[in-house]
Amino acid sequence: MKVLITGAQGFLGQYFVKAFEEEEIIPLSHKDINIEEKETIEKIISLKPDLIIHPAAIRSPDLCEENPDEAWKTNALGTKHIAIACSILDIPLIYISTDYVFSGEKNSPYTEFDPPNPINVYGRTKLAGEIFTKEFCRKYFIIRTSYVFGEYGNNALTQIYNGLKEGKEMYFTNYHYASCTYAGDLVRKVKELSKTKLYGTYHIVNKGVITRYDFACKVAEFLGFSKEKIIKITPETYKAPAKRPLYSVLENYILKLYNMDDLPYYEESLKKSLSNIL
Ligand SMILES: NC(=O)c1ccc[n+]([C@@H]2O[C@H](COP(=O)([O-])OP(=O)(O)OC[C@H]3O[C@@H](n4cnc5c(N)ncnc54)[C@H](OP(=O)(O)O)[C@@H]3O)[C@@H](O)[C@H]2O)c1
């Protein structure tokens, strides 16, 4: 099977390349293809993939808020181009989406049956990507995940680990409640789903609820570092351009209904991930 992966040099892209390494991979980085351009459609068709995994995006909510046209072009139109190519080739598309499609006003975990209602540009552009995926593809997996961490690539865990080693002060909010996800668990479950015809939208996160601050403290605790340089950002001291949902905890509800939800508690996966770093 030929598996085309967008954003292949990004954090999750690297995990997908590794997870599908026994297949023939077409890894496309930003240098190989700019998904904003409409020529993406023809280019992808000419490569004749059997499956596309599409994590490429502008993932920073603050960058999206400050550069909305870029965010709409990459996250929404870029996904539209890929979805059209999939529809012409009649192949499945796996689109990686986010908990930020939700507003954060619910006080129990969001399931796949809850209506999205994003509150920032990032969330709105990622939701538009979901809508294009559904509009053009017959066979799709929309995977919503949250605060993904792993032992390599640029992500929350590697940033916290490096910051702790360097003794840097690090600032995290302590009032946005969310799920977090070990990249290894995520790509394993995506791969499992990709072998089925159970197309549709899925939440894939580890169990447990965190704030960014709690997560950083947990990493420090597991590594035996002091937490004194991990500093809380409170609503009074929050200055970032993009609003974040106050509560975006996801439940893997459809996986649970299919008896496929074996995602561990995040602490277990965090320990595993840290043991791979050390
Ligand atoms: N990381 C998380 O915590 C998290 C949580 C929820 C959902 N997600 C979703 O997961 C996906 C992957 O995130 P990630 O953490 O792996 O992000 P990442 O490390 O920033 O990777 C995204 C990749 O997309 C590429 N890209 C950006 N614009 C592009 C364009 N116009 N054309 C082609 N490639 C382009 C980037 O290349 P350059 O860097 O060279 O621009 C980068 O390699 C995203 O869709 C994100 O919304 C991530």
Side-chain angles (χ1 to χ4, degrees):
M1 189 164 71
K2 261 193 192 178
V3 181
L4 186 151
I5 302 174
T6 69
Q9 284 181 356
F11 162 47
L12 268 178
Q14 292 178 61
Y15 272 84
F16 280 118
V17 168
K18 195 158 187 323
F20 283 81
E21 67 191 353
E22 75 272 18
E23 310 290 349
E24 184 185 339
I25 303 210
I26 310 170
L28 296 183
S29 71
H30 200 160
K31 277 191 246 103
D32 303 314
I33 197 166
N34 180 355
I35 59 169
E36 288 178 15
E37 291 168 359
K38 45 189 182 304
E39 291 71 24
T40 297
I41 302 173
E42 295 307 331
K43 190 161 178 186
I44 286 186
I45 291 171
S46 71
L47 294 168
K48 297 192 175 69
D50 303 302
L51 168 69
I52 297 183
I53 304 176
H54 172 41
I58 301 180
R59 82 158 182 211
S60 156
D62 295 327
L63 261 183
C64 290
E65 209 68 22
E66 290 179 323
N67 306 282
D69 288 351
E70 272 310 300
W72 283 105
K73 277 199 271 182
T74 300
N75 297 355
L77 293 189
T79 303
K80 178 182 172 188
H81 300 147
I82 288 160
I84 292 174
C86 286
S87 119
I88 292 168
L89 292 165
D90 196 24
I91 59 165
L93 170 59
I94 301 178
Y95 169 61
I96 309 302
S97 190
T98 168
D99 55 326
Y100 279 18
V101 297
F102 293 114
S103 67
E105 279 154 9
K106 200 181 169 197
N107 357 330
S108 58
Y110 284 95
T111 78
E112 295 85 344
F113 299 107
D114 286 312
N117 183 19
I119 60 167
N120 59 28
V121 173
Y122 171 68
R124 285 194 276 275
T125 58
K126 292 295 294 182
L127 179 60
E130 291 192 6
I131 292 167
F132 282 132
T133 297
K134 291 181 187 171
E135 191 175 333
F136 292 107
C137 299
R138 250 176 8 101
K139 305 170 197 166
Y140 66 83
F141 295 96
I142 291 172
I143 307 293
R144 294 194 190 125
T145 189
S146 176
Y147 207 52
V148 189
F149 62 89
E151 48 275 70
Y152 52 86
N154 179 19
N155 68 85
L157 180 58
T158 50
Q159 285 165 11
I160 295 165
Y161 176 67
N162 290 331
L164 287 167
K165 272 199 313 187
E166 289 159 21
K168 271 197 339 211
E169 280 188 354
M170 290 180 282
Y171 295 81
F172 299 95
T173 57
N174 76 333
Y175 60 96
H176 297 110
Y177 293 88
S179 303
C180 61
T181 317
Y182 172 44
D185 292 333
L186 174 69
V187 297
R188 172 180 62 80
K189 193 46 76 176
V190 170
K191 192 172 173 192
E192 188 185 323
L193 279 173
S194 76
K195 311 272 181 216
T196 74
K197 294 188 172 49
L198 295 171
Y199 304 119
T201 301
Y202 290 86
H203 292 178
I204 304 185
V205 293
N206 284 119
K207 298 188 175 58
V209 176
I210 55 138
T211 67
R212 272 41 174 178
Y213 174 80
D214 297 337
F215 182 84
C217 289
K218 193 63 87 180
V219 175
E221 182 191 315
F222 285 169
L223 290 171
F225 279 93
S226 148
K227 297 172 196 167
E228 72 184 23
K229 298 244 164 106
I230 302 175
I231 297 158
K232 282 181 195 164
I233 302 175
T234 62
E236 295 73 39
T237 54
Y238 183 78
K239 287 199 192 79
K243 273 209 300 188
R244 267 78 170 166
L246 289 174
Y247 180 95
S248 59
V249 178
L250 300 182
E251 179 178 5
N252 303 333
Y253 191 52
I254 295 198
L255 287 181
K256 187 171 130 188
L257 295 179
Y258 280 130
N259 284 325
M260 289 169 73
D261 181 19
D262 57 358
L263 275 283
Y265 276 89
Y266 86 89
E267 290 94 332
E268 191 185 315
S269 293
L270 179 56
K271 278 187 189 152
K272 183 167 150 195
S273 186
L274 283 171
S275 71
N276 292 335
I277 289 188
L278 296 170

